[in-house]
């Protein structure tokens, strides 16, 4: 058995350690979501806290870890005999990203239930984690319906398995810990709210601390047992303190003043619903118990708010979670006049006296209560970086629009030439600074045609495990979604031959039919954005960025993966490889400079290569190509070779031949229009859409779906 890295040996990461300890003291807090960059020891800290949890008494032989003092009356293994308890360590169960629904909640054997009338239930990971820790690494990559099941069980303390009228219920109370790297995608706000606390972690920039991290990790890797033995006394002290805080927790009083502080803080940060107030109250109570006190004070409310509110406050799309501590202090300051004076005769209150601040012996700087030495496979916590201020386009009256139209008119005579020089320095040079995006808007839904089988999402039609039932088929592997009507219809003609007498139906394996369901899938939305000089007029580029930002927001809501390719100057660049992090795409877009020639063919060929690689990685995820351009192609001409327009047309036909569903966002503006984007759409067999037609409230007639157009006239 592998020796776990000691929790007390972890360097820094004070917020994470405190959040985990508070959940160990009071599982009702609701778990922890750990957000941070890779390599910051998130997993090490989670595994280490499990080893500190007190042992649990369970009914001998019960697969659901029932407490012998209060067994679950609905336990599938019950009823239990008295005096059959045994002690075992609290478990830590890991939920892999690729787990199925049956693996999470358990599998009910529908065949035996129908044919033999027996509830044959195989417990899942939720049953294994009961009264222990359930750890989900990369929780943001877990399928949404699995996250819903997981969080529902954590909130209700029970898991329900329903299969065609046959149901099983069992207790499922556990400490839920999820970790995620925000660069790989965010969780929906509704799911963020279901985690009790959230913590941001980042690698320490302090040289001494980083040295200590490496020193301890190397010592642990060389001799895990010896390293753990050196920290055994600190681990034992921490384990005893958790047990003492758990015992004290029921006696902690949450006074009216503390409740008013909590309500004022939650109202001040405009959090939705009442879950934030409840979680903050439970966290403040756990903080008081951890400090060996029976009353909740202002510092407890402040500490609880810093952990429970950052992911719940209202924020703009693509803003990172965070909390304004100055605003928090200002809200709490109104209660200072009523703060009772400390009793000088009361003396210290155990390891955490009233004088202990956040850096004291019992504060988050040293949750173990001993001298802090720095730590193991981790690093210190840092505040999340502030979101960059978007640059604002100049607001000079009408100048940009006029210049934009003049530029379009100048380009009507050729492939760039003087127009390129007018907008930059010509060629591959001439770079303009990035301009800010216009305000995002709600876009129309653009779908990939046909019926896919990709990951669950909200964009294109797909066969899925959840959705409306559209038919039935013979089971493929384990039967999970029974189509009852089709099964009865298949079994009915054979009842006399099977010797049925009386009521009931004799069902055999060959009669079973599973439901075929249709829902929505997430797609790979690959943006190919023209950043050349012809797009560089500030008002136009601001509008274009606003449109792409709107499409990114739509992709986030529909659970798509996104990628970003830009082309300008002499070549195309993969600015963002396909990822679930729409936030990262928004940042790249905001910083995108413009200028130079228009290598349209290079952008399309780069898109084809990216899609080819992604098709190998994830064959079931269908792509949607979004080309944002005015259709011009003005790269340097090659002697004796095809023109830039001919090369772009050839690349477009190659993409069309691959069957890639595409949409071309026509960015051409001004009184003189060349229709080049429409011609590109015909070559791609794509749907051309203007910036105005992207809006969901546009009065322009627009097809909602992206169709692979076989008739070029239809695409025009």
């Amino acid at each position: 058995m592998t020796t776990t890295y000691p929790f007390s040996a972890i360097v820094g990461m004070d917020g994470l350690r405190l959040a985990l300890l508070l959940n160990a003291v009071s599982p009702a807090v609701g778990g922890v979501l750990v957000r941070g960059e890779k390599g910051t020891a998130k997993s090490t800290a989670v595994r280490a806290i499990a080893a500190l949890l007190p042992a649990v008494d369970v009914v001998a032989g019960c697969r659901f870890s029932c407490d012998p003092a209060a067994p679950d009356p609905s336990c599938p293994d019950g009823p239990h005999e008295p005096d059959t308890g045994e002690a075992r360590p609290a478990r830590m169960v890991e939920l892999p990203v690729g787990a199925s629904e049956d693996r999470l909640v358990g599998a009910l054997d529908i065949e035996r239930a129908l044919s033999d009338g027996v509830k044959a239930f195989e417990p899942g990971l939720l049953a294994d984690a009961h009264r222990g820790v359930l750890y989900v690494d990369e929780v943001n990559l877990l399928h949404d319906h699995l996250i819903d099941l997981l969080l529902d069980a954590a909130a209700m303390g029970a898991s329900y398995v329903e299969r065609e009228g046959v149901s099983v219920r069992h207790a499922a109370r556990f400490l839920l810990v999820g970790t995620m790297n925000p660069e790989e995608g965010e969780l929906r706000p509704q799911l963020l709210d279901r985690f009790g606390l959230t913590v941001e972690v980042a690698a320490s920039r302090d040289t001494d601390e980083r040295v200590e991290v490496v020193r301890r990790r190397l010592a642990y890797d060389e001799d895990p047992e010896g390293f753990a033995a050196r920290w055994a006394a600190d681990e034992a002290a921490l384990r005893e303190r958790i047990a003492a805080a758990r015992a004290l927790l029921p006696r902690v009083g949450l006074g009216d003043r503390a409740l008013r502080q909590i309500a004022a803080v939650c109202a001040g940060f405009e959090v939705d619903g009442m879950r934030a107030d409840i979680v903050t109250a439970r966290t403040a109570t756990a903080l008081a118990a951890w400090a060996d006190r029976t009353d909740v004070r202002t510092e407890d409310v402040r500490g609880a708010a810093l952990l429970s509110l950052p992911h719940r406050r209202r924020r703009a799309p693509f803003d990172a979670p965070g909390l304004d501590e100055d605003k928090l202090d200002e809200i709490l300051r109104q209660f200072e006049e009523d703060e009772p004076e400390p009793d000088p005769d009361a003396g210290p209150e155990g390891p955490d006296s009233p004088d202990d601040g956040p850096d004291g012996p019992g504060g988050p700087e040293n949750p173990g209560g001993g001298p802090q030495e720095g730590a193991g496979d981790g690093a210190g916590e840092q505040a999340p970086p502030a979101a960059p201020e978007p640059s604002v386009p100049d607001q000079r009256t009408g100048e940009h629009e006029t210049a934009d139209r003049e530029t379009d008119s100048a380009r009507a005579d050729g492939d760039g030439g003087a127009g390129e020089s007018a907008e930059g320095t010509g060629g591959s040079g001439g770079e303009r600074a990035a301009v800010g995006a216009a305000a995002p808007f709600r876009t129309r839904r653009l779908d990939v045609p046909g019926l896919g089988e990709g990951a669950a999402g909200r964009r294109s039609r797909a066969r899925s495990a959840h959705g409306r039932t559209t038919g039935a088929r013979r089971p493929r592997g384990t039967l999970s979604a029974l189509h009852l009507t089709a099964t009865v219809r298949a079994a009915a003609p054979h009842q006399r031959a099977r010797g049925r007498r009386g009521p009931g139906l004799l069902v055999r394996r060959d009669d079973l039919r599973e439901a075929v369901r249709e829902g929505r899938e997430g797609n790979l939305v690959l943006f190919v954005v023209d950043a050349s000089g012809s797009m560089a007029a500030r008002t136009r580029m601001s509008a274009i960025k606003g449109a792409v930002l709107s499409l990114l927001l739509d992709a986030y809501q529909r659970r798509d993966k996104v990628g970003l390719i830009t082309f300008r100057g002499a070549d195309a660049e993969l600015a963002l490889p396909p990822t679930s992090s729409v936030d990262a795409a928004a940042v790249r877009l905001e910083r995108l400079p413009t200028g130079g020639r228009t290598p349209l063919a290079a952008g399309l060929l780069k898109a084809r290569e990216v899609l080819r690689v992604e098709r190998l990685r994830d064959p079931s995820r269908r792509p949607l190509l979004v080309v944002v351009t005015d259709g011009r192609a003005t790269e340097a001409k090659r002697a004796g070779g095809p023109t830039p327009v001919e090369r772009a047309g050839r690349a477009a036909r190659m993409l069309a031949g691959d069957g890639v569903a595409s949409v071309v966002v026509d960015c051409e503006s001004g009184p003189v229009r060349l229709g080049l984007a429409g011609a590109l759409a015909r070559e791609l067999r794509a749907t051309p859409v203007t910036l105005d037609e992207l809006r969901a409230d546009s009065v322009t007639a627009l097809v909602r779906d992206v169709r692979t157009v076989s008739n070029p006239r239809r695409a025009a």
Side-chain angles (χ1 to χ4, degrees):
M1 182 177 179
T2 304
T3 302
T4 304
Y5 191 95
F7 188 86
S8 53
I10 295 175
V11 178
M13 299 177 64
D14 308 312
L16 172 58
R17 290 188 295 146
L18 179 62
L20 291 172
L21 288 167
L22 293 178
N23 273 273
V25 171
S26 175
V29 166
V32 187
L33 175 64
V34 187
R35 296 164 46 91
E37 59 195 25
K38 56 185 177 293
T40 49
K42 301 184 293 293
S43 301
T44 298
V46 175
R47 295 187 177 97
I49 192 65
L52 295 177
L53 298 179
V56 294
D57 292 326
V58 299
V59 174
C62 177
R63 298 174 297 168
F64 302 87
S65 302
C66 280
D67 186 349
D72 182 7
S74 62
C75 176
D77 285 355
H80 298 297
E81 297 294 331
D83 302 325
T84 58
E86 61 181 11
R88 66 159 175 80
R91 292 174 180 160
M92 194 198 77
V93 177
E94 294 193 41
L95 174 62
V97 171
S100 65
E101 180 179 340
D102 286 346
R103 184 72 185 97
L104 176 63
V105 300
L108 187 62
D109 194 333
I110 297 297
E111 298 175 32
R112 291 189 62 190
L114 290 177
S115 58
D116 302 335
V118 176
K119 286 186 180 180
F121 181 70
E122 183 66 28
L125 295 177
L126 292 180
D128 293 341
H130 179 46
R131 305 176 68 195
V133 178
L134 182 60
Y135 171 48
V136 188
D137 194 14
E138 305 293 355
V139 65
N140 52 323
L141 304 182
L142 203 64
H143 285 179
D144 283 355
H145 74 283
L146 291 182
I147 298 178
D148 291 334
L149 291 171
L150 177 65
L151 296 178
D152 284 343
M156 297 186 296
S159 174
Y160 294 85
V161 182
E162 300 281 347
R163 293 289 188 275
E164 301 298 335
V166 182
S167 63
V168 173
R169 175 204 173 277
H170 64 83
R173 293 183 295 276
F174 45 81
L175 167 57
L176 175 63
V177 183
T179 61
M180 60 175 284
N181 183 351
E183 294 180 357
E184 297 174 346
E186 286 284 356
L187 281 171
R188 300 199 315 265
Q190 298 91 329
L191 300 179
L192 279 173
D193 183 56
R194 302 297 292 273
F195 281 93
L197 310 179
T198 187
V199 179
E200 295 275 347
V201 295
S204 173
R205 300 297 182 259
D206 181 80
T207 302
D208 293 337
E209 191 167 279
R210 294 175 75 98
V211 168
E212 186 63 22
V213 169
V214 176
R215 180 181 292 119
R216 294 190 185 185
R217 184 69 207 192
L218 293 178
Y220 169 78
D221 291 339
E222 183 178 351
D223 182 11
E225 290 78 11
F227 185 84
R230 291 196 293 273
W231 290 90
D234 295 307
E235 292 287 280
L238 201 53
R239 191 177 293 109
E240 291 176 3
R241 187 175 176 189
I242 291 173
R246 278 190 172 189
L248 181 64
L249 186 65
R251 295 189 283 122
V252 176
L254 187 65
D256 184 70
R257 182 174 180 278
L259 282 173
R260 289 183 175 276
Q261 286 179 317
I262 292 170
V265 167
C266 293
F269 284 99
E270 299 181 343
V271 297
D272 294 325
M274 296 299 298
R275 184 177 283 116
D277 302 63
I278 296 171
V279 172
T280 306
R282 289 172 175 167
T283 307
T285 304
L287 274 167
W290 179 249
D292 197 23
R293 286 188 271 101
T294 57
D295 62 311
V296 175
R297 301 179 180 176
T298 299
E299 59 263 32
D300 300 324
V301 175
R302 186 183 189 278
L306 290 174
L307 293 171
S308 63
L309 298 187
H311 58 304
R312 292 187 168 95
R313 68 171 179 83
R314 288 188 178 180
R315 58 186 190 274
F318 309 123
D319 281 354
L323 204 67
D324 186 344
E325 294 192 36
D326 291 337
K327 182 177 179 180
L328 174 61
D329 292 335
E330 182 180 348
I331 295 173
L332 292 175
R333 198 171 295 126
Q334 61 182 304
F335 295 90
E336 287 183 352
E337 296 178 358
D338 301 328
E339 180 75 32
E341 293 292 332
D343 186 356
D345 300 327
E349 300 186 25
D352 289 309
S353 69
D355 293 333
D356 285 343
D359 298 331
E365 287 295 326
N366 189 8
Q372 171 64 15
E373 300 183 25
D377 187 34
E381 177 188 0
Q382 296 181 354
E389 290 289 337
S391 55
V392 180
D394 295 341
Q395 301 299 322
R396 292 173 291 184
T397 57
E399 292 182 13
H400 293 141
E401 182 179 0
T402 303
D404 192 15
R405 291 180 178 177
E406 290 175 355
T407 299
D408 285 334
S409 298
R411 292 186 176 280
D413 298 328
D415 287 336
E420 294 286 0
S421 300
E423 292 168 341
T425 60
S428 60
E431 179 176 307
R432 288 177 177 266
V435 299
F441 51 84
R442 189 166 64 90
T443 66
R444 292 179 177 271
R445 188 178 69 209
L446 303 172
D447 295 348
V448 176
L451 193 63
E453 294 183 350
R458 299 183 178 182
R459 183 172 296 280
S460 305
R461 294 172 54 228
R463 296 186 183 91
S464 64
H466 302 273
R468 63 186 182 90
T469 301
T470 59
R473 65 185 178 191
R474 292 182 181 273
R476 299 177 180 177
T478 303
L479 177 65
S480 58
L482 178 73
H483 194 296
L484 186 57
T485 305
T487 299
V488 171
R489 211 165 33 230
H494 308 292
Q495 297 306 296
R496 179 175 297 180
R498 293 173 184 173
R500 190 193 75 165
R501 301 291 185 270
L505 192 69
L506 295 179
V507 180
R508 295 181 180 174
R509 167 73 185 180
D510 292 340
D511 302 328
L512 297 177
R513 299 292 184 272
E514 67 179 2
V516 176
R517 293 173 175 168
E518 182 179 313
R520 293 279 173 180
E521 68 176 358
N523 298 111
L524 166 59
V525 182
L526 182 60
F527 293 91
V528 180
V529 180
D530 185 349
S532 64
S534 65
M535 308 279 282
R538 293 178 64 88
T539 52
R540 184 199 297 182
M541 199 61 200
S542 177
I544 291 168
K545 285 188 175 182
V548 178
L549 190 66
S550 303
L551 291 169
L552 284 171
L553 181 59
D554 182 68
Y556 167 74
Q557 295 168 341
R558 300 192 187 282
R559 313 306 295 164
D560 295 318
K561 288 182 69 174
V562 297
L564 178 63
I565 293 173
T566 63
F567 58 94
R568 55 180 291 273
D571 203 357
E573 175 190 4
L574 180 59
L576 181 71
T579 175
S580 296
S581 178
V582 177
D583 291 355
V587 172
R588 302 291 199 285
L589 179 70
E590 189 72 27
R591 299 172 180 171
L592 178 65
T594 56
R597 295 188 182 275
T598 313
L600 177 57
L604 298 177
L605 291 174
K606 174 69 76 173
R608 187 170 186 247
E609 176 61 20
V610 170
L611 294 178
R612 184 189 67 81
V613 173
E614 289 301 311
R615 195 176 297 116
L616 295 175
R617 290 177 177 172
D618 188 357
S620 63
R621 187 180 289 271
R622 297 186 296 161
L624 173 62
L625 183 66
V626 179
V627 184
V628 184
T629 182
D630 57 8
R632 292 184 174 90
T634 60
E635 59 187 295
K637 297 180 181 179
R638 301 176 183 178
T643 67
V645 175
E646 291 171 341
R647 294 186 70 239
R650 183 180 302 172
R653 289 190 293 273
M654 293 169 66
L655 279 165
D658 292 340
V660 177
S662 308
V663 59
V664 175
V665 180
D666 185 355
C667 301
E668 193 174 30
S669 61
V672 178
R673 296 174 183 264
L674 305 179
L676 299 177
L680 175 64
R682 287 192 293 273
E683 298 284 7
L684 279 170
R685 299 179 186 173
T687 300
V689 182
T690 66
L691 291 176
D692 288 338
E693 290 172 339
L694 275 179
R695 296 180 179 272
D697 56 356
S698 173
V699 297
T700 305
L702 174 67
V703 291
R704 294 180 62 105
D705 296 342
V706 179
R707 295 179 173 84
T708 305
V709 182
S710 57
N711 184 350
R713 293 182 179 178
R714 183 179 178 185

